[in-house]
Amino acid sequence: MSTRIVPWLAVVGGGIGLLASFVLMVEKVALLEDPGYVPTCSINPVLSCGSVMVTPQAEAFGMPNPLLGITGFAVVVTAGVGLLAGFRPPRWFWLGLQAGTTFGVVFVHWLIWQSLYSIEALCPYCMVVWAVTIPLFWYTTLHNLARRPAGALLARYHSFVLALWFVVIIALIAVKFWDYWSTLV
Amino acid sequence: MPKEKIVATGRAWPSANVLLTIGVVVVAIVVLGGVLLTGKDDPLASSTVPSDVLVNENSHRLTDAGDDAVTVVEFLDFQCPACAGYYANVTKEVERDYGDRITFVVRNFPLDSHPLAMLAAKAAEAAGRQGEYEAMYHSLYDNYERWALTDGDISDDTARARAAFDTFAKEIGLDLKRFHADMASDAVADRIAADRADGERAEVTGTPALFINGHLFSPSGDTFGEVERQFRNQLDAELAK
């Protein structure tokens, strides 16, 4: 049941991720053209992509991270459209998608860690990418594990696991920036 | 599709998955919202920096009238001219006149734009490890021109500054060998970094940054005379509370 969501998730989630990566890249170029440029997502001291975008972590592989997002999410959207059009891919295709989303989810968690504990600022567009990468990885994994017993168990509690996953990250963010959030209320 | 399934299996209740999902989300919202709302104090709190950010148990106190006393916290850079000006015109006298009534805490906030600020902070912290932070603090500011300036400009003469710090250390009566070892130690560097991190959490952007009972002191006067009067007025107002 839960894995029927994969094609739609790939199109919608991948599309959102693509848009966020694209905007980040545009902002990055604007920042390079004019170092004084304040990106649209720099809202306050905590929510500030300007301070995140200039860090070494924003070019983890020697090039701007959004380039990875633009290419990766474009592939995800294409795969999703193919699946919706009736494409029944062979197993290797699914494993390829698994490899891509696994890389994405590991990279995203490294970025979350860096953002919270090294950079100490949050970049809203980046958080959009975090939010779509996790379910993309999760439901692709469930699809690929569907015929195994562990997979069936996880699939039965698919949204519970996902909700728990998000709650943990939100809690880490809340704790880390507590002093700041509490001044806003 | 879900409807069919429920009918087919004869279940009238949502699945365990749905219940658990809703449970997690509700608990998260209640906990986060609850803590956020109950943690909210009086409206003043929004403009007050929490005292655990401003003062640590081991922070250096120039004067100590206890934890309940009016507390002044200064984030300072030993080489910043404005800090030296504050010292000479405001804080030195406040320390003397209010010493028995307020707790005056000083924290390191060396700025990168001052080449000798970090070294001076290390000298003060190293003296602190022999129990003489306050003495070194006074020596550094009382003799500001001797190490911090060259021909009236910010100096970057490390050798001269080190020689001056050694002189101060000898005058204070420090164990010079230990003083040098402490200045180069990670413990001292970590402590300065921790002070600076707290300063950043308190949104300190420049020095000196003075907090009276958690409120940033922002004078409107142009001369040190006016600044000093405003500072004393705010102190008196807090003391009268």
Side-chain angles (χ1 to χ4, degrees):
Chain A
M1 278 298 282
S2 62
T3 59
R4 289 193 191 198
I5 195 180
V6 171
W8 285 107
L9 193 64
V11 173
V12 177
I16 293 171
L18 179 59
L19 192 69
S21 305
F22 197 88
V23 174
L24 266 171
M25 197 63 226
V26 171
E27 293 283 18
K28 172 97 186 173
V29 172
L31 194 64
L32 288 175
E33 283 175 341
D34 172 14
Y37 175 73
V38 178
T40 53
C41 43
S42 285
I43 301 162
N44 57 44
V46 171
L47 291 175
S48 162
C49 51
S51 48
V52 175
M53 279 158 63
V54 296
T55 60
Q57 289 95 325
E59 300 185 358
F61 298 97
M63 60 195 170
N65 297 342
L67 285 177
L68 294 174
I70 293 170
T71 42
F73 284 119
V75 172
V76 170
V77 171
T78 311
V81 170
L83 291 168
L84 285 179
F87 175 43
R88 289 283 160 265
R91 182 132 181 95
W92 63 260
F93 183 95
W94 278 106
L95 292 180
L97 211 52
Q98 185 71 56
T101 54
T102 305
F103 169 78
V105 89
V106 170
F107 188 39
V108 152
H109 282 78
W110 180 78
L111 288 171
I112 294 174
W113 183 266
Q114 293 297 320
S115 186
L116 283 175
Y117 303 109
S118 173
I119 303 167
E120 303 194 319
L122 299 169
C123 141
Y125 297 142
C126 313
M127 292 164 78
V128 169
V129 172
W130 305 351
V132 295
T133 304
I134 292 168
L136 277 171
F137 163 78
W138 178 235
Y139 285 102
T140 306
T141 307
L142 287 183
H143 179 274
N144 286 331
L145 286 179
R147 283 192 221 119
R148 294 166 195 270
L153 182 72
L154 290 176
R156 201 174 306 148
Y157 296 101
H158 63 101
S159 64
F160 170 57
V161 174
L162 192 63
L164 210 56
W165 198 330
F166 272 88
V167 164
V168 168
I169 292 172
I170 291 167
L172 290 177
I173 293 172
V175 168
K176 174 68 198 174
F177 298 109
W178 191 256
D179 293 332
Y180 182 73
W181 305 131
S182 52
T183 59
L184 290 183
V185 179
Chain B
M1 190 59 77
K3 240 179 206 164
E4 256 179 43
K5 194 178 176 194
I6 290 168
V7 172
T9 55
R11 272 188 292 164
W13 288 88
S15 69
N17 176 49
V18 172
L19 289 176
L20 283 169
T21 306
I22 294 170
V24 164
V25 173
V26 169
V27 168
I29 291 171
V30 168
V31 169
L32 262 178
V35 176
L36 212 54
L37 288 176
T38 54
K40 194 175 74 165
D41 300 318
D42 56 308
L44 264 178
S46 60
S47 60
T48 308
V49 179
S51 59
D52 63 328
V53 172
L54 293 179
V55 185
N56 283 336
E57 220 161 279
N58 64 357
S59 294
H60 298 295
R61 290 160 171 81
L62 298 178
T63 71
D64 195 347
D67 288 342
D68 300 330
V70 170
T71 301
V72 172
V73 179
E74 180 179 9
F75 285 87
L76 57 85
D77 169 324
F78 284 108
Q79 203 183 7
C80 108
C83 302
Y86 261 73
Y87 173 80
N89 296 288
V90 184
T91 54
K92 190 180 181 181
E93 282 144 36
V94 164
E95 184 190 341
R96 186 191 61 211
D97 296 348
Y98 290 81
D100 53 339
R101 286 171 290 164
I102 65 169
T103 296
F104 194 146
V105 176
V106 281
R107 309 287 305 269
N108 294 294
F109 202 79
L111 299 171
D112 295 335
S113 51
H114 300 137
L116 301 174
M118 181 54 94
L119 196 65
K122 284 180 174 173
E125 286 296 340
R129 291 178 77 81
Q130 297 185 43
E132 294 288 355
Y133 182 94
E134 296 79 2
M136 185 57 84
Y137 160 89
H138 285 121
S139 294
L140 287 168
Y141 276 139
D142 284 334
N143 303 290
Y144 181 75
E145 286 84 3
R146 272 173 59 189
W147 64 272
L149 301 180
T150 305
D151 302 329
D153 289 324
I154 295 290
S155 168
D156 58 359
D157 189 341
T158 310
R160 188 179 71 139
R162 281 189 189 277
F165 299 162
D166 281 0
T167 309
F168 305 152
K170 274 184 232 157
E171 285 167 4
I172 296 165
L174 299 181
D175 174 343
L176 212 58
K177 220 174 140 189
R178 203 178 135 199
F179 176 69
H180 288 154
D182 284 337
M183 269 184 78
S185 70
D186 287 344
V188 159
D190 290 348
R191 193 178 163 137
I192 294 166
D195 273 7
R196 194 143 70 166
D198 276 346
E200 278 160 12
R201 283 174 70 197
E203 292 178 17
V204 170
T205 49
T207 52
L210 285 139
F211 293 86
I212 302 175
N213 276 353
H215 295 279
L216 181 66
F217 171 66
S218 36
S220 53
D222 293 328
T223 66
F224 275 121
E226 289 174 54
V227 171
E228 193 205 0
R229 208 184 57 245
Q230 287 176 13
F231 194 76
R232 282 172 184 262
N233 283 345
Q234 288 196 18
L235 270 185
D236 291 338
E238 288 293 327
L239 284 165
K241 274 184 188 170

